[in-house]
Amino acid sequence: MPQIAQLAETWSSQVFWLLVFFGITFFVIGRGMVPKVMETVAQRDGQIAADLAAAKAARDAADAEEEAWRVRENENRAAAQAIVAKAKDEAAAKSESKLKAAQSRLDKKLAEAETRIAEARTAALTEVESVAIEAAQDIVARLAGAKVTKPAAAKAVKEAMNHG
Amino acid sequence: MVAEQAKVDPMHQFTIEPLAGSGGWEIAGYNIAFTNSALWMLITTVVLFIFVLGGMKRELVPGRWQMTVETFTGFIDNMLEANIGKAGRKYVPYVFSLFMFILFANILGLMPLGVIGLHPFTFTSHFTVTGVLAIISFAIVLLVGFWKHGLHFFSLFVPHGTPLPMIPIIAPIEFISFMVRPFSLGLRLFVAMMAGHVLLEVLSSFVIDGTNAGILWSGVVGLPSFLLMIGICALELLVAGIQAYVFALLTSLYINDAENLH
């Protein structure tokens, strides 16, 4: 077993060179390079975390924006609907008042026409009466030779007309 | 091999040889020959450096290589955070170095480089190496423990809720189990790596000797051994990863003791 057989002659060189090369490994690689490698890893992890946070923030912002837009949209829609309803109401009221005005105008015209008709009828009736009176006087004078006064004739005509 | 009487010595692969006449190098009387073991530590360090360098592109969207390196650092980071908590992050450089150094050493030692004439040397199969790594880990535990808790660190040897009369019995047991840690840490890796390599070497000697002994023995011994070797190779790759993981995991658990005391 050379490990034991050569121990006396080689141990110092083994220890010496191990300390030299392990020392180089520790100070150059372990102390010098490994922290930089780990720093890179930490940097990357930080970058990833930051990117994720940024993405999350952006998504939240987008969500908030969308929510705000939705609210605004709903408000706008409600406002539009209110405007439409108002316009409808106004139009309805206007047409109603117009209709009312037209109706009243028609009513007035109708009433006027009716009174005119009534007037015309009474006028016509009185004319008919006077004609009838004159006719009655004439008939009486021709048939009976008697002269009938106008009031008497009028009275008789009225009676006859009332009887129909 | 055939010229050398086809004698395969399964332990020969662990022999340490000074390279290029460096056998006489000394510092303060201690031999520091640049051996094949040191060469493979150098290769491990360079390969690991290149591997981690490929993960230093610092791109926001990582490529495959960068992703792989980041997976390893993330793995160590998670392990320390799971075992120690937030305070564990400051041990990432050490535990990462430890884990990757052992992992790369284990895997490089298994590479079939003998095909192109190189001889891989698994320095983690030497307890001089694993022992030093274990002692470093243990020293960190002691330093952190006494630094953070002072003498109160000794209460580690008295588990929570121990009845007062039991303390004189429990404390020495806890102390011994604590002191055994560096040995178990170092020996576990050394034994696992050495056993695997010996097994592979023995099986390969069966393949070679069986094949050399003729068609019959090649069919009865050589071929089954070869098939078994393929499986054992896969197993050894697994063991290479597991042992590196166990070393790093136990180190982090021991550091947790020092960091959080109970």
Side-chain angles (χ1 to χ4, degrees):
Chain A
M1 200 162 157
Q3 286 95 328
I4 293 169
Q6 292 185 302
L7 185 61
E9 38 182 316
T10 61
W11 72 269
S12 53
S13 113
Q14 287 279 73
V15 171
F16 175 78
W17 290 111
L18 176 67
L19 289 179
V20 167
F21 290 119
F22 188 67
I24 291 172
T25 301
F26 174 64
F27 285 106
V28 175
I29 297 171
R31 299 286 296 266
M33 296 159 88
V34 169
K36 283 180 188 149
V37 172
M38 289 177 67
E39 200 178 287
T40 311
V41 175
Q43 230 169 5
R44 179 175 324 119
D45 289 353
Q47 176 89 45
I48 288 170
D51 283 358
L52 280 178
K56 195 177 177 304
R59 202 188 55 197
D60 288 352
D63 281 355
E65 196 86 343
E66 198 196 338
E67 193 55 43
W69 174 81
R70 205 181 296 281
V71 168
R72 226 169 37 239
E73 191 66 13
N74 285 345
E75 274 170 9
N76 286 348
R77 187 165 299 153
Q81 271 167 356
I83 287 169
V84 167
K86 206 175 141 203
K88 238 187 220 164
D89 284 357
E90 270 173 11
K94 224 188 215 162
S95 63
E96 205 172 317
S97 64
K98 255 188 193 160
L99 275 174
K100 222 177 241 169
Q103 187 70 47
S104 61
R105 221 165 45 240
L106 281 176
D107 284 355
K108 218 169 111 193
K109 262 189 187 159
L110 215 61
E112 272 170 16
E114 267 171 6
T115 42
R116 257 201 331 271
I117 288 164
E119 271 166 19
R121 207 165 73 191
T122 38
L125 273 177
T126 38
E127 213 161 307
V128 167
E129 220 175 282
S130 64
V131 169
I133 291 164
E134 274 168 29
Q137 276 177 310
D138 238 11
I139 289 163
V140 169
R142 270 197 210 162
L143 289 181
K147 212 151 170 63
V148 183
T149 57
K150 206 172 178 182
K155 199 183 166 204
V157 166
K158 221 170 233 168
E159 261 172 32
M161 276 177 83
N162 278 349
H163 283 295
Chain B
M1 276 294 181
V2 184
E4 295 172 22
Q5 272 288 306
K7 184 92 171 104
V8 179
D9 174 12
M11 301 312 282
H12 178 72
Q13 56 177 326
F14 304 116
T15 313
I16 296 172
E17 289 155 354
L19 295 176
S22 64
W25 292 4
E26 282 189 2
I27 283 183
Y30 292 106
N31 182 287
I32 54 152
F34 192 82
T35 58
N36 51 351
S37 173
L39 175 70
W40 282 91
M41 292 178 199
L42 171 66
I43 291 170
T44 301
T45 308
V46 170
V47 171
L48 180 56
F49 178 78
I50 292 167
F51 174 71
V52 180
L53 194 67
M56 292 267 290
K57 276 174 263 162
R58 318 201 66 179
E59 281 165 15
L60 199 58
V61 180
R64 285 178 199 179
W65 197 327
Q66 193 184 341
M67 198 73 208
T68 313
V69 177
E70 283 171 3
T71 305
F72 277 108
T73 59
F75 167 67
I76 298 294
D77 190 30
N78 287 340
M79 185 175 80
L80 285 172
E81 197 170 324
N83 288 324
I84 305 177
K86 282 283 168 215
R89 298 207 76 174
K90 59 177 172 286
Y91 302 105
V92 169
Y94 174 68
V95 178
F96 180 83
S97 305
L98 192 66
F99 175 72
M100 295 305 272
F101 195 69
I102 295 171
L103 180 69
F104 273 52
N106 291 352
I107 288 175
L108 283 171
L110 279 172
M111 289 292 119
L113 298 176
V115 177
I116 55 167
L118 288 169
H119 289 285
F121 181 88
T122 317
F123 59 83
T124 42
S125 62
H126 276 255
F127 59 78
T128 38
V129 171
T130 60
V132 169
L133 291 175
I135 288 166
I136 294 173
S137 287
F138 193 64
I140 288 174
V141 171
L142 288 180
L143 283 173
V144 169
F146 283 114
W147 185 272
K148 277 201 70 152
H149 305 288
L151 291 178
H152 193 63
F153 185 54
F154 283 112
S155 71
L156 185 68
F157 304 131
V158 183
H160 245 350
T162 313
L164 202 61
M166 292 296 281
I167 287 178
I169 306 163
I170 296 282
I173 294 171
E174 288 284 325
F175 178 72
I176 291 165
S177 84
F178 183 76
M179 293 310 288
V180 160
R181 281 174 180 185
F183 297 99
S184 69
L185 202 56
L187 284 175
R188 184 181 295 112
L189 176 58
F190 147 68
V191 165
M193 294 325 291
M194 191 188 73
H197 283 261
V198 167
L199 185 57
L200 285 177
E201 193 83 10
V202 168
L203 281 174
S204 65
S205 80
F206 285 173
V207 176
I208 293 166
D209 291 346
T211 312
N212 286 344
I215 300 274
L216 176 68
W217 291 113
S218 124
V220 174
V221 175
L223 195 63
S225 298
F226 185 66
L227 293 176
L228 185 61
M229 239 183 110
I230 294 172
I232 300 277
C233 276
L235 184 72
E236 283 307 308
L237 282 172
L238 184 71
V239 168
I242 287 176
Q243 287 303 324
Y245 173 64
V246 165
F247 204 104
L249 180 71
L250 286 176
T251 299
S252 70
L253 285 176
Y254 296 161
I255 292 175
N256 175 45
D257 276 349
E259 188 75 33
N260 300 321
L261 212 48
H262 277 302

